[in-house]
Amino acid sequence: ADISSAENRAKTFGLIGVAFGLSFLLGPSAVLIFTKNSDNGYLIPVLIATVIPFINFLLVLFYLPETKPTENKQKLTNKVKSNPFQGLFKVFQENRIKKLSLAFFIYFIAFTGLTTILVFFLQDSQQWTIKASNGPLVIVGIIAIVVQGVLIGPLVKQFGELKLTISGSGFILFACILLITFPEKNAGTYIYLAVSFLAIGAGLITPSIRALISKKIDKNSQGSILSSLQGLQSLGSVLGYILAGNVYDYFGPRSPFIAGGLILFLMIWLITGSDIK
């Protein structure tokens, strides 16, 4: 947000989505390689996943440049320093962005729940192997790279962030419908089609809604607001795991996709009710 113009904001956020897509390609691929060629195949991916955050820490510490001029930095009060949750929920105190921020939050509850439970659903209810159930994640990665790395810039110029966010929600809703209703015969075709729509929707929503929020706040608040959104994304992901797992246990294998669809309807209602010019 500090280094991009308002009209290029969604395109810039899309680069983060490209990294997200690459992770969906490289992560499952590593698991498949090591589980196939090693007697203790789960250990090596876990070790890699342990080392990578440390490498990331070093890159941020020594390589990542500061984007905000020193003279514009705002000092945190002791109260904010001692209470990180106050900063986390700061976005809900801003009238201009509170509905959009809530929509962003519940979107990640739905999206994380859907993608997390899908792999378990395929293995537990459909008896897919580990290799087969990782296939949809690879598809998510490829589509995320294409949508957010190539298409999001031209699409924003053509349609705007609001229409893309609503359209993305529609894609994910259609994916939920396919996952709720697919027949047992030729299930793979329906599942891969659903995952493709899910990935397209996520590729449109994530950078677009971030850009919508970013454009409604002043430049000196970008860092604090966007970090709060990142915190809400992480919290939404945790709640998504919990919600999807419990719904699966109590209401049946396809019920998390119904719950995800209902959450998306709420998200659309919040976005359309926001004051977006």
Side-chain angles (χ1 to χ4, degrees), residues 182-197:
F182 74 84
E184 295 300 324
K185 186 177 181 181
N186 296 323
T189 302
Y190 285 85
I191 289 170
Y192 272 92
L193 185 61
V195 168
S196 299
F197 280 107

Side-chain angles (χ1 to χ4, degrees), residues 5-24:
S5 60
E7 58 270 18
N8 290 322
R9 194 69 48 78
K11 181 180 178 180
T12 307
F13 285 140
L15 295 176
I16 300 172
V18 172
F20 175 78
L22 285 171
S23 72
F24 263 77

Side-chain angles (χ1 to χ4, degrees), residues 20 100-115 148 165 168-169 172 198-207 209-210 232-233 236-237 240 260 263-264 266-268 270-271:
F20 175 78
L100 283 174
S101 298
L102 182 57
F104 178 90
F105 174 55
I106 65 173
Y107 159 69
F108 276 99
I109 294 177
F111 177 74
T112 307
L114 291 171
T115 52
Q148 299 191 65
T165 303
S169 303
I172 298 180
L198 179 67
I200 293 171
L204 295 175
I205 291 173
T206 306
I209 195 168
R210 272 199 176 99
L232 287 175
Q233 177 179 334
S237 297
I263 292 173
L264 287 168
L266 177 58
M267 173 192 165
I268 293 171
L270 287 167
I271 292 172

Side-chain angles (χ1 to χ4, degrees), residues 2-64:
D2 290 339
I3 62 173
S4 62
S5 60
E7 58 270 18
N8 290 322
R9 194 69 48 78
K11 181 180 178 180
T12 307
F13 285 140
L15 295 176
I16 300 172
V18 172
F20 175 78
L22 285 171
S23 72
F24 263 77
L25 280 174
L26 298 177
S29 299
V31 172
L32 291 176
I33 291 170
F34 289 115
T35 52
K36 183 177 180 180
N37 299 301
S38 173
D39 293 332
N40 194 2
Y42 293 103
L43 177 62
I44 298 177
V46 169
L47 291 175
I48 293 173
T50 304
V51 171
I52 286 176
F54 180 70
I55 297 173
N56 190 63
F57 168 75
L58 294 178
L59 287 173
V60 172
L61 186 63
F62 295 109
Y63 179 75
L64 188 68

Side-chain angles (χ1 to χ4, degrees), residues 73-215:
K73 289 183 179 179
Q74 296 175 337
K75 293 183 178 180
L76 292 173
T77 65
N78 291 331
K79 186 176 181 180
V80 173
K81 285 182 179 179
S82 62
N83 185 4
F85 289 100
Q86 181 176 333
L88 180 63
F89 297 109
K90 178 182 177 181
V91 291
F92 298 133
Q93 299 170 4
E94 301 280 346
N95 289 330
R96 293 171 294 174
I97 60 171
K98 61 183 181 181
K99 286 186 177 181
L100 283 174
S101 298
L102 182 57
F104 178 90
F105 174 55
I106 65 173
Y107 159 69
F108 276 99
I109 294 177
F111 177 74
T112 307
L114 291 171
T115 52
T116 302
I117 207 67
L118 179 61
V119 175
F120 180 76
F121 169 76
L122 294 177
Q123 294 179 15
D124 181 60
S125 298
Q126 303 300 307
Q127 285 76 53
W128 285 31
T129 64
I130 293 175
K131 181 178 180 179
S133 57
N134 272 283
L137 296 182
V138 174
I139 295 298
V140 169
I142 293 172
I143 293 176
I145 291 171
V146 173
V147 173
Q148 299 191 65
V150 180
L151 300 179
I152 194 67
L155 288 173
V156 166
K157 290 180 180 179
Q158 181 71 27
F159 301 105
E161 292 92 347
L162 178 60
K163 288 183 179 179
L164 291 183
T165 303
I166 301 298
S167 299
S169 303
F171 277 110
I172 298 180
L173 279 171
F174 186 65
C176 290
I177 292 171
L178 287 175
L179 291 169
I180 294 166
T181 61
F182 74 84
E184 295 300 324
K185 186 177 181 181
N186 296 323
T189 302
Y190 285 85
I191 289 170
Y192 272 92
L193 185 61
V195 168
S196 299
F197 280 107
L198 179 67
I200 293 171
L204 295 175
I205 291 173
T206 306
S208 297
I209 195 168
R210 272 199 176 99
L212 282 173
I213 295 171
S214 174
K215 289 163 69 172

